[in-house]
Short mmCIF file of all heavy atoms in Angstrom, two decimals:
data_model
loop_
_atom_site.label_atom_id
_atom_site.label_comp_id
_atom_site.label_asym_id
_atom_site.label_seq_id
_atom_site.Cartn_x
_atom_site.Cartn_y
_atom_site.Cartn_z
N GLY A 42 112.09 124.07 103.72
CA GLY A 42 112.13 122.64 103.38
C GLY A 42 113.53 122.06 103.48
O GLY A 42 113.68 120.88 103.83
N LEU A 43 114.55 122.86 103.20
CA LEU A 43 115.93 122.38 103.31
C LEU A 43 116.29 122.11 104.77
O LEU A 43 116.99 121.15 105.10
CB LEU A 43 116.90 123.39 102.69
CG LEU A 43 116.85 123.48 101.15
CD1 LEU A 43 117.63 124.69 100.65
CD2 LEU A 43 117.38 122.19 100.51
N GLU A 44 115.76 122.96 105.68
CA GLU A 44 115.99 122.73 107.11
C GLU A 44 115.29 121.45 107.55
O GLU A 44 115.84 120.66 108.33
CB GLU A 44 115.45 123.92 107.92
CG GLU A 44 116.17 125.24 107.70
CD GLU A 44 115.38 126.43 108.24
OE1 GLU A 44 114.49 126.22 109.10
OE2 GLU A 44 115.65 127.57 107.80
N ARG A 45 114.10 121.24 107.02
CA ARG A 45 113.36 120.01 107.40
C ARG A 45 114.14 118.76 106.99
O ARG A 45 114.26 117.80 107.73
CB ARG A 45 111.99 119.99 106.73
CG ARG A 45 111.01 121.08 107.16
CD ARG A 45 109.71 120.89 106.43
NE ARG A 45 108.79 121.99 106.46
CZ ARG A 45 107.84 122.16 107.38
NH1 ARG A 45 107.74 121.32 108.39
NH2 ARG A 45 107.00 123.18 107.28
N ALA A 46 114.76 118.83 105.79
CA ALA A 46 115.56 117.69 105.32
C ALA A 46 116.75 117.49 106.25
O ALA A 46 117.02 116.38 106.72
CB ALA A 46 116.02 117.94 103.89
N ALA A 47 117.44 118.60 106.56
CA ALA A 47 118.63 118.51 107.42
C ALA A 47 118.25 117.94 108.79
O ALA A 47 118.93 117.05 109.33
CB ALA A 47 119.26 119.89 107.58
N GLU A 48 117.14 118.41 109.35
CA GLU A 48 116.70 117.92 110.67
C GLU A 48 116.41 116.42 110.63
O GLU A 48 116.56 115.73 111.63
CB GLU A 48 115.44 118.68 111.13
CG GLU A 48 115.70 120.10 111.61
CD GLU A 48 114.47 121.00 111.49
OE1 GLU A 48 113.34 120.47 111.37
OE2 GLU A 48 114.65 122.24 111.49
N ALA A 49 116.03 115.94 109.46
CA ALA A 49 115.70 114.51 109.33
C ALA A 49 116.92 113.70 108.87
O ALA A 49 116.82 112.51 108.62
CB ALA A 49 114.54 114.32 108.34
N GLY A 50 118.06 114.39 108.72
CA GLY A 50 119.28 113.68 108.32
C GLY A 50 119.25 113.24 106.86
O GLY A 50 119.90 112.27 106.47
N ILE A 51 118.47 113.97 106.05
CA ILE A 51 118.35 113.60 104.63
C ILE A 51 119.24 114.54 103.81
O ILE A 51 119.22 115.75 104.00
CB ILE A 51 116.90 113.74 104.15
CG1 ILE A 51 115.99 112.76 104.90
CG2 ILE A 51 116.80 113.49 102.65
CD1 ILE A 51 114.50 113.02 104.67
N GLU A 52 120.00 113.94 102.89
CA GLU A 52 120.87 114.73 102.02
C GLU A 52 120.03 115.73 101.24
O GLU A 52 118.95 115.38 100.73
CB GLU A 52 121.60 113.79 101.06
CG GLU A 52 122.72 114.47 100.28
CD GLU A 52 123.57 113.46 99.54
OE1 GLU A 52 123.42 112.26 99.80
OE2 GLU A 52 124.37 113.89 98.69
N ALA A 53 120.49 116.97 101.21
CA ALA A 53 119.72 118.02 100.51
C ALA A 53 120.67 118.86 99.68
O ALA A 53 121.81 119.11 100.09
CB ALA A 53 118.99 118.89 101.51
#
Side-chain angles (χ1 to χ4, degrees):
L43 288 169
E44 294 166 19
R45 295 181 195 269
E48 285 156 19
I51 297 169
E52 190 170 349

